Amino acid sequence: MVGRRWRLAAATALASAVIGVLGAPGVAYADPGPPSPGPSQSASRSLEDVHREVESLYRKAEAATDAYNAAGEQLRLQEKSVAEITRQMAAAQERMDRLRNQAGALARAQYRSGGLTPQTQLFFSASPDTFLNGVALARKGEQATRGVLAQVEALRGELQGHAKAADERRKALDAERGKKEAAKKEIEARLEAAKKLESRLEEKERERLRQLEEERARRAQTAWLASDAGKGLAGQGSAATGEGKRAVDFATAQIGKDYVWGAEGPQSFDCSGLTLKAWAAAGRAIPRTSQEQWRQLAKVDVKDMRAGDLVIYFSDASHVGMYVGDGRIVHAPRPGRQVTLAGAGSMPILGVVRPG
């Protein structure tokens, strides 16, 4: 908690420092277009500093969002595991009750016979045939009794094992809840710091900030398309499978909807929530988070990607978009932005994965 408060305080202090520069009297920001020499050039650089800080905060929030989603997924798995163990314990307890009833019936039968063992009763039998037939029955009875007692003992051990497993799962469940809550607090702190920075900008400055983002993305995309990895992708369609086309159709139909962290639709999405639901609409289940999508799905070369493939970004695999062909992706960028089309090379690519 102290560490998180310290980080929030540091982020707020840094935001205040930058805001102080923005709010200083006499500072005017450059209009869209190439900066002219003089004070506006310095102002533009200050706005770029704000842009870098805002992007850094949102990137860190997005990384924490992936941790939040991963903890949520583990939480669901642990809850499912606990429910299964509980079901197994109930079934074992039911079997145990039945065996105890059988053991009780054997004990009552012996009591009704006067407490004599089967062997003693046979000794007093009226005829040799009765005696011999009784020996066989007595052995079967003893075997049945031993079998019942052995099953009772085995089930007792099984129940103890289930109880221990349930205890371990519940501890893991509490740990995942803690991770999820910690990630949520970190996200909220990052988003709040970024929001404060942006809220101090005037409308004209916010528009310029958006333009700076777009300009940087265009430069990155142009450089990527000229590289060996992206060469030939622009202007080139992609042979999507039927599933891939359905996934792309779903994802592009969400264009204009808000990014909201942790959201899976229908009115808002985060980056991996969009790809998750798009592929679900195509009839295929994929992992919830971009990191798990990167880890679990089949990897393909960038030059071989086709519509519906997922492009994973940044070294920590914290962002994902869906390739739609022509060197472009559809993705949910960050808080304050909407689902949109973008250049596939507008961010650092970690790799490409293909559902199925």
Side-chain angles (χ1 to χ4, degrees):
M1 178 67 73
V2 174
R4 286 196 296 275
R5 287 177 178 168
W6 185 92
R7 288 197 299 273
L8 176 58
T12 305
L14 180 57
S16 300
V18 177
I19 292 167
V21 173
L22 297 179
V27 174
Y29 293 102
D31 290 333
S36 56
S40 62
Q41 211 170 33
S42 172
S44 179
R45 282 198 299 272
S46 297
L47 190 57
E48 287 179 355
D49 288 341
V50 175
H51 170 257
R52 282 192 293 271
E53 176 63 14
V54 167
E55 285 301 301
S56 174
L57 287 166
Y58 279 129
R59 278 277 299 112
K60 289 172 181 176
E62 189 168 46
T65 295
D66 212 66
Y68 175 87
N69 290 334
E73 182 67 16
Q74 286 299 313
L75 199 57
R76 285 191 288 273
L77 292 174
Q78 295 292 357
E79 286 171 345
K80 184 178 179 181
S81 178
V82 168
E84 176 60 19
I85 290 171
T86 302
R87 187 194 65 77
Q88 291 172 355
M89 286 181 69
Q93 186 62 56
E94 187 178 339
R95 294 198 305 274
M96 174 78 88
D97 292 342
R98 285 199 303 268
L99 290 171
R100 281 175 173 163
N101 287 337
Q102 290 179 34
L106 290 170
R108 287 192 296 274
Q110 184 172 344
Y111 177 78
R112 285 195 296 271
S113 66
L116 299 176
T117 66
Q119 291 86 348
T120 303
Q121 293 177 50
L122 287 172
F123 181 77
F124 293 106
S125 60
S127 69
D129 289 341
T130 303
F131 177 82
L132 292 174
N133 291 333
V135 168
L137 290 172
R139 286 176 178 169
K140 288 180 180 179
E142 288 175 357
Q143 290 171 356
T145 302
R146 284 196 296 269
V148 167
L149 294 176
Q151 288 182 63
V152 167
E153 191 61 30
L155 275 172
R156 184 178 289 113
E158 185 179 331
L159 282 168
Q160 289 173 348
H162 286 322
K164 182 179 179 182
D167 184 57
E168 291 172 352
R169 290 293 186 277
R170 289 191 183 97
K171 287 178 181 177
L173 201 61
D174 290 340
E176 292 303 331
R177 286 195 182 103
K179 288 179 186 177
K180 188 174 181 180
E181 186 60 30
K184 180 181 178 182
K185 288 179 180 178
E186 182 177 352
I187 292 163
E188 289 171 343
R190 303 290 189 189
L191 295 182
E192 183 62 25
K195 191 183 297 183
K196 283 183 179 178
L197 270 177
E198 290 187 302
S199 69
R200 293 294 297 270
L201 299 175
E202 295 180 0
E203 183 60 35
K204 179 181 176 182
E205 296 161 349
R206 284 196 292 272
E207 178 57 28
R208 177 58 182 153
L209 192 64
R210 182 186 289 271
Q211 290 180 5
L212 282 172
E213 291 177 11
E214 294 173 353
E215 288 166 8
R216 184 166 295 180
R218 277 195 297 272
R219 287 196 299 269
Q221 174 73 354
T222 300
W224 178 70
L225 288 173
S227 69
D228 291 339
K231 195 173 293 182
L233 288 174
Q236 182 186 71
S238 58
T241 63
E243 284 183 333
K245 186 178 185 308
R246 289 195 296 273
V248 168
D249 287 346
F250 178 93
T252 53
Q254 312 313 311
I255 289 175
K257 293 185 177 180
D258 289 337
Y259 177 110
V260 173
W261 67 267
E264 299 177 8
Q267 298 306 320
S268 56
F269 297 87
D270 65 14
C271 65
S272 57
L274 177 64
T275 55
L276 173 82
K277 289 302 183 182
W279 271 100
R284 188 172 293 276
I286 64 172
R288 171 62 179 89
T289 70
S290 57
Q291 291 173 338
E292 286 303 299
Q293 289 169 5
W294 171 245
R295 190 176 72 84
Q296 295 186 35
L297 300 179
K299 295 176 176 58
V300 298
D301 288 339
V302 172
K303 61 182 176 59
D304 296 327
M305 65 182 173
R306 64 191 186 202
D309 288 347
L310 306 182
V311 186
I312 309 296
Y313 293 97
F314 305 107
S315 60
D316 58 358
S318 58
H319 191 72
V320 60
M322 178 177 290
Y323 189 62
V324 298
D326 195 26
R328 299 183 302 166
I329 60 165
V330 59
H331 72 142
R334 67 164 176 82
R337 299 290 184 259
Q338 291 74 40
V339 176
T340 188
L341 291 173
S346 58
M347 297 168 284
I349 296 176
L350 178 61
V352 178
V353 293
R354 177 169 297 162

